[in-house]
Amino acid sequence: MAEQELLSACLSPALDKRFKHLWRLVGNTPMLELQYTYKGHLGRIFVKCENYNLTGSIKDRMALYILYKAYMNCQIKPTDLVIEATSGNTGIAFSAIGKALGHQVKIIMPNWLSKERTDIIRSMGADIQLISKEEGGFLGSIRLSEELATQGGVFLPRQFENQYNAEAHEKTTGYEITRQLADQGLVADAFVAGVGTGGTVMGVGRSLRKVNPKVRIHPLEPAESPTLSTGHKVGSHRIQGISDEFIPAIVNLDELDAVVCANDGDAILMAQKLSRQLGLAVGISSGANVIGAVKLQQELGPEAVVVTLLCDDNKKYLSTDLVREEPVRAGYLSTDLDFVGFQPICRLADPVFGA
């Protein structure tokens, strides 16, 4: 069936118009060249500012794209309840975008995540169910979503296994990074990002390799909970949104370069420095990503073009250790780093979706 036939079969003109309007609010984010000194030497990394998305996180891209593809493939009806198991940002994204498309939304998530996450989801009129560690945590949340779907009238995005998650980042995030760097006469030498579902690192990696087959694509995880490195849940950490107890089905480690680790305390200190020294109010995972990017830039050399993400803003972490004094420990990278400025790289004039 041709795309236009699918469109007419599964999307009303009014709903199609809503998707077009939402793509003006999701994606096509600016980039920054962050300039820093590390142990007295100047350096730079490039960051994609995903806090500029509709709900303040990169997860808006995946949520909007998955729902769009579900309508295009006739896998969802306008009356369906959207149910998703999540660590927070995805739940916020589906709550906002699902509501904008006219859906009722139910979010299932572990009960140890920040209070701001649950408050924001509830403020959008979504139903929320919190799962304790005794009830299974993340895996228990996923099991419950599958059980509820058997009742019918439910659409499950299944973010941890849905290949449209990675495709969203291949077609939007990775494409934008390539184009924005090209406007500066640059090509990415390396990309690093924390792994929650794995959609970002897999999708961006595939996109960047179309331009530079030798680009290095590194997944990042907390040093305190190295799930990717060990293959199973181990330890605990404070970088909400990554290392969710298991290796997601989307992640193919054979396609990726070595796993990069960041200590959660170091990530908190780095996020605090981004805010206090540059006015970039971002979350803890952004601090971890910057640590990973600086490590790679130090390894590859001062001229290397290393890219990462500022995944979300700090508003979802105001009840966490992000706003408390964090002790400095031996081996932290943030201790020897200071930011000295940034150079903005503008949004695209002709993004793949949207205006």
Side-chain angles (χ1 to χ4, degrees):
M1 186 181 289
E3 181 170 317
Q4 188 56 45
E5 293 175 317
L6 274 172
L7 187 64
S8 61
C10 302
L11 276 179
S12 67
L15 197 53
D16 181 41
K17 189 175 183 179
R18 288 188 194 180
F19 272 111
K20 289 187 169 94
H21 288 171
L22 283 166
W23 276 118
R24 293 172 182 258
L25 301 174
V26 174
N28 196 21
T29 55
M31 286 184 73
L32 298 175
E33 176 189 310
L34 291 188
Q35 298 143 0
Y36 64 88
T37 60
Y38 179 63
K39 295 184 176 180
H41 298 286
L42 285 171
R44 65 170 187 178
I45 59 171
F46 295 85
V47 296
K48 196 89 163 87
C49 301
E50 294 302 295
N51 51 317
Y52 278 78
N53 281 297
L54 172 64
T55 73
S57 95
I58 193 171
K59 296 299 186 180
D60 290 343
R61 295 177 183 266
M62 174 259 286
L64 183 55
Y65 191 77
I66 284 177
L67 288 171
Y68 175 73
K69 282 294 187 178
Y71 270 103
M72 293 299 293
N73 295 329
C74 297
Q75 295 171 332
I76 187 173
K77 301 188 217 30
T79 55
D80 282 349
L81 170 66
V82 176
I83 300 180
E84 184 62 314
T86 171
S87 60
N89 277 336
T90 298
I92 293 168
F94 275 111
S95 296
I97 293 168
K99 285 289 183 176
L101 295 171
H103 290 276
Q104 292 299 310
V105 179
K106 180 180 179 71
I107 300 301
I108 306 170
M109 58 191 283
N111 66 354
W112 60 82
L113 297 165
S114 72
K115 181 178 182 296
E116 291 84 358
R117 281 164 154 74
T118 58
D119 287 346
I120 292 169
I121 290 168
R122 287 195 178 103
S123 76
M124 293 176 181
D127 181 30
I128 187 167
Q129 185 166 348
L130 300 178
I131 305 297
S132 68
K133 290 183 179 179
E134 293 72 25
E135 294 171 310
F138 284 107
L139 292 175
S141 300
I142 294 170
R143 284 194 297 271
L144 179 57
S145 69
E146 297 285 350
E147 291 170 9
L148 292 173
T150 63
Q151 301 172 11
V154 169
F155 173 72
L156 294 181
R158 293 187 174 97
Q159 60 169 320
F160 293 98
E161 59 189 77
N162 192 325
Q163 290 302 319
Y164 288 131
N165 178 347
E167 189 173 295
H169 296 291
E170 181 178 357
K171 288 184 176 294
T172 70
T173 322
Y175 172 82
E176 291 167 23
I177 289 170
T178 297
R179 288 278 311 280
Q180 286 169 300
L181 288 177
D183 287 346
Q184 307 298 307
L186 301 171
V187 175
D189 295 305
F191 175 78
V192 60
V195 171
T197 64
T200 301
V201 73
M202 297 304 299
V204 171
R206 288 166 188 162
S207 184
L208 296 184
R209 283 193 173 122
K210 294 174 184 177
V211 177
N212 177 14
K214 295 182 179 180
V215 65
R216 287 170 50 170
I217 307 297
H218 293 269
L220 179 141
E221 67 182 355
E224 293 81 4
S225 184
T227 303
L228 296 175
S229 301
T230 62
H232 56 85
K233 166 66 177 172
V234 57
S236 61
H237 67 94
R238 295 175 289 166
I239 310 175
Q240 295 186 24
I242 68 173
S243 194
D244 291 337
E245 300 185 1
F246 58 96
I247 299 178
I250 293 173
V251 176
N252 183 355
L253 292 174
D254 291 338
E255 289 185 33
L256 302 174
D257 292 285
V259 177
V260 177
C261 291
N263 294 97
D264 59 9
D266 204 7
I268 289 169
L269 289 167
M270 188 65 81
Q272 290 174 347
K273 280 196 170 182
L274 284 163
S275 179
R276 293 168 184 172
Q277 295 183 348
L278 295 180
L280 300 174
V282 295
I284 300 171
S285 61
S286 299
N289 282 347
V290 168
I291 289 169
V294 171
K295 284 182 176 181
L296 290 173
Q297 206 260 343
Q298 293 298 307
E299 176 188 341
L300 295 173
E303 299 305 314
V305 178
V306 181
V307 184
T308 192
L309 308 165
L310 303 181
C311 306
D312 65 358
D313 57 40
N314 70 346
K315 297 180 182 65
K316 307 177 189 79
Y317 305 92
L318 299 180
S319 63
T320 75
D321 288 346
L322 179 61
V323 296
R324 303 185 183 105
E325 185 173 351
E326 180 66 24
V328 173
R329 303 192 187 281
Y332 279 6
L333 186 146
S334 59
T335 309
D336 297 313
L337 183 144
D338 286 292
F339 295 103
V340 296
F342 60 78
Q343 179 70 35
I345 301 173
C346 295
R347 295 174 172 91
L348 299 178
D350 56 340
V352 64
F353 294 108

